Amino acid sequence: MPRKKKVEKVNEIKIGDIVKANYDIVLRSDKNVSAPICQKINQKSDITIIGESADWYLVKYNTVCGYIPKSFIS
């Protein structure tokens, strides 16, 4: 009798998804922690993913677009 493989579901974040901020964070104008701050985002706020690059997401929060580290959202 063949063994069943354990399959783990992975929640991949895709462009167009609306996600929540894990922490109070800042939206940056570029993919760099020293880039100018565009907007402050409160924990649990809705953020729309509009792109990604390396360890950063390009997001839209209200009417402002900018970058946040991928580790700061779920």
Side-chain angles (χ1 to χ4, degrees):
M1 183 175 222
R3 288 185 171 176
K4 291 183 179 180
K5 290 184 180 180
K6 184 178 178 182
V7 177
E8 292 184 28
K9 271 191 170 178
V10 177
N11 289 337
E12 287 188 28
I13 296 173
K14 299 176 193 83
I15 294 173
D17 285 353
I18 297 173
V19 297
K20 301 273 186 198
N22 291 337
Y23 313 95
D24 289 344
I25 56 176
V26 292
L27 192 60
R28 302 247 177 216
S29 63
D30 201 3
K31 301 168 281 200
N32 186 312
V33 293
S34 59
I37 295 171
C38 301
Q39 177 84 38
K40 292 184 180 183
I41 302 173
N42 295 324
Q43 182 179 8
K44 308 245 183 204
S45 294
D46 287 338
I47 303 165
T48 304
I49 305 297
I50 57 175
E52 68 177 295
S53 177
D55 294 331
W56 293 80
Y57 284 117
L58 175 60
V59 302
K60 183 175 181 183
Y61 174 66
N62 294 329
T63 60
V64 179
C65 294
Y67 292 91
I68 57 172
K70 287 182 175 181
S71 60
F72 281 41
I73 59 171
S74 60

